[in-house]
Amino acid sequence: MAPTLRHDWTREEVAALFALPFNDLLARAHAVHAEHHDANAVQVSTLLSIKTGGCPEDCAYCPQAQRYQTGVKAEKLMSVEAVLQRARAAKAAGASRFCMGAAWRAPKDRDVVKVAKIIEAVKGLGLETCATLGMLNEDQANQLKDAGLDYYNHNLDTAPEYYDAIIGTRQYQDRLDTLDAVRGAGMKTCCGGIVGLGETREQRVGLLQTLATLAEHPESVPINQLVQVAGTPLHGTDKLDPFEFVRTIAVARLLMPASMVRLSAGREQMSDEMQALCFFAGANSIFYGEKLLTTGNPDVERDRALFDRLDLKPMRVEHEPGTVHADIVEPACPAHAESAA
Ligand code: SAM
Ligand code: DTB
Ligand code: SF4
């Protein structure tokens, strides 16, 4: 039976969930998680930066903004063949979804034509495809959909009232408009945010309440913990209490029961025990491989061991019922070990 999803959460209700005693919150979140998902299966995506750095935006957390001295070297859009090589390695290493990120404010139309060719090629390998390229208009969203793009990642990042403190070069409404264009084109959305930006709990409530009151819940909800990078304005921000991060995952699970909640950036800095709590609280998706876009992610050996210790299994590809998905395995070729990541 299709789950009944609510889209009318109030901030008061969301704040009340956050304020539950920790054990009660986790018990409730886990019950909802197990009701809607296999609690021992985790969807595994691999991330690749197909166009790195040199971004004109001023997102205060981002190492790829040109204006901050972070040591990230700007690189041009990768060729189809170079991306395919990485996608093959990711598939061999057990990923079911290949996510491609580009450090653009918004792609130019000619960029979309090039990325569409990349998407067609990656899709041809039998992987689910996801891209995050910045703001899109309707035509661009339609072109990407036609090329075979399954998911578009575009995060709200934080609460509407805190957005201006983090990003000055665009508006919250721009983000919502892009999400509308993506939905209008018939793609699935991957939309979440970052915590640890120096926001208050009330603002974490605001982020999750905004996500959960979108006309449709995002199919995938990445919850990133800020990866602090020297040179960005947010470097040196007070760290969030790990239990507050776990609460954020649990509340996301309660508000959006059918969505995949991704334990996204920041895992490298988390203990295995903290990640285990996140999986219990309802996280059921990760990025697998030693690199995110420009920053680190846990070693594949550490993740394999964690899956073993927690009896977790990689989730099968959703759109190919009946396919037996490979376990997380060693990359096929040692030369690709880094790229499989
Ligand atoms: N340029 C595109 C955009 O901003 O939509 C796509 C790439 S951007 C790097 C994708 C997302 O990565 C951001 O929305 C943000 O949520 C996340 N992100 C970027 N830097 C991060 C950091 N230092 N720590 C955690 N998450 C980060
Ligand atoms: C998302 O929410 N997190 C990913 C993905 N979507 C594109 C990006 C995390 C980036 C972390 C910083 C970096 O590696 O540059
Ligand atoms: Fe550019 Fe995206 Fe980084 Fe913002 S988050 S600076 S838009 S790459």
Side-chain angles (χ1 to χ4, degrees):
M1 196 179 76
T4 314
L5 303 178
R6 281 188 54 193
H7 297 264
D8 61 351
W9 293 98
T10 65
R11 287 222 183 183
E12 291 69 28
E13 286 177 304
V14 179
L17 291 175
F18 259 98
L20 283 170
F22 188 77
N23 286 339
D24 291 345
L25 173 59
L26 260 61
R28 280 176 66 168
H30 186 75
V32 166
H33 184 47
E35 192 186 325
H36 291 85
H37 304 269
D38 176 346
N40 302 307
V42 173
Q43 190 271 328
V44 175
S45 298
T46 286
L47 188 54
L48 175 68
S49 180
I50 61 171
K51 188 269 166 196
T52 305
C55 184
E57 298 287 87
D58 70 352
C59 311
Y61 48 75
C62 187
Q64 302 200 69
Q66 192 165 27
R67 66 190 72 203
Y68 310 135
Q69 305 308 311
T70 62
V72 169
K73 202 168 116 273
E75 287 167 27
K76 284 201 265 197
L77 180 65
M78 289 172 71
S79 68
V80 176
E81 201 33 62
V83 176
L84 264 184
Q85 204 186 343
R86 308 287 288 254
R88 282 191 205 104
K91 189 176 178 193
S96 61
R97 190 177 306 163
F98 195 65
C99 306
M100 295 159 274
W104 283 314
R105 166 185 167 78
K108 297 189 178 71
D109 286 345
R110 63 169 185 271
D111 297 325
V112 173
V113 172
K114 290 182 196 163
V115 174
K117 292 199 175 105
I118 293 175
I119 290 163
E120 270 170 32
V122 172
K123 184 83 177 162
L125 298 178
L127 284 160
E128 288 187 313
T129 53
C130 176
T132 180
L133 316 170
M135 296 188 278
L136 293 184
N137 61 37
E138 285 174 20
D139 283 351
Q140 293 175 327
N142 286 328
Q143 278 180 59
L144 295 172
K145 166 74 181 165
D146 290 347
L149 189 61
D150 298 303
Y151 290 81
Y152 196 77
N153 166 243
H154 201 63
N155 292 334
L156 293 181
D157 279 341
T158 192
E161 66 273 21
Y162 194 54
Y163 196 76
D164 289 356
I166 302 298
I167 300 161
T169 46
R170 58 186 136 80
Q171 309 290 313
Y172 213 69
Q173 189 56 47
D174 294 328
R175 302 242 117 195
L176 295 169
D177 291 347
T178 292
L179 291 169
D180 282 347
V182 169
R183 279 289 183 214
M187 282 184 281
K188 296 178 195 158
T189 60
C190 171
C191 180
I194 316 183
V195 296
L197 301 173
E199 77 284 347
T200 60
R201 176 183 278 184
E202 212 181 316
Q203 289 157 346
R204 285 186 284 282
V205 167
L207 166 66
L208 294 187
Q209 191 255 355
T210 309
L211 289 168
T213 54
L214 292 171
E216 288 178 77
H217 293 169
E219 281 79 2
S220 173
V221 180
I223 304 293
N224 297 278
Q225 175 169 269
L226 174 68
V227 179
Q228 298 205 9
V229 179
T232 60
L234 292 180
H235 184 241
T237 304
D238 285 348
K239 301 245 166 50
L240 191 69
D241 176 358
F243 296 128
E244 183 67 11
F245 184 88
V246 178
R247 279 182 195 270
T248 309
I249 295 278
V251 175
R253 168 53 66 221
L254 286 169
L255 300 183
M256 295 168 279
S259 302
M260 306 297 291
V261 174
R262 180 172 302 136
L263 183 51
S264 197
R267 271 198 319 119
E268 195 182 25
Q269 291 74 28
M270 295 176 196
S271 69
D272 288 352
E273 294 80 0
M274 176 175 169
Q275 292 185 60
L277 277 178
C278 290
F279 292 130
F280 184 78
N284 60 351
S285 172
I286 59 162
F287 285 121
Y288 175 67
E290 277 143 21
K291 205 168 174 197
L292 291 166
L293 292 173
T294 64
T295 65
N297 200 40
D299 293 348
V300 294
E301 289 75 21
R302 181 179 162 199
D303 277 344
R304 272 199 291 271
L306 185 62
F307 271 50
D308 279 350
R309 291 162 72 206
L310 300 178
D311 308 304
L312 295 173
K313 55 185 183 274
M315 208 171 277
R316 293 161 186 220
V317 180
E318 292 153 32
H319 67 260
E320 289 181 52
T323 50
V324 178
H325 194 270
D327 282 346
I328 291 183
V329 291
E330 291 285 350
C333 160
H336 294 153
E338 199 189 326
S339 52

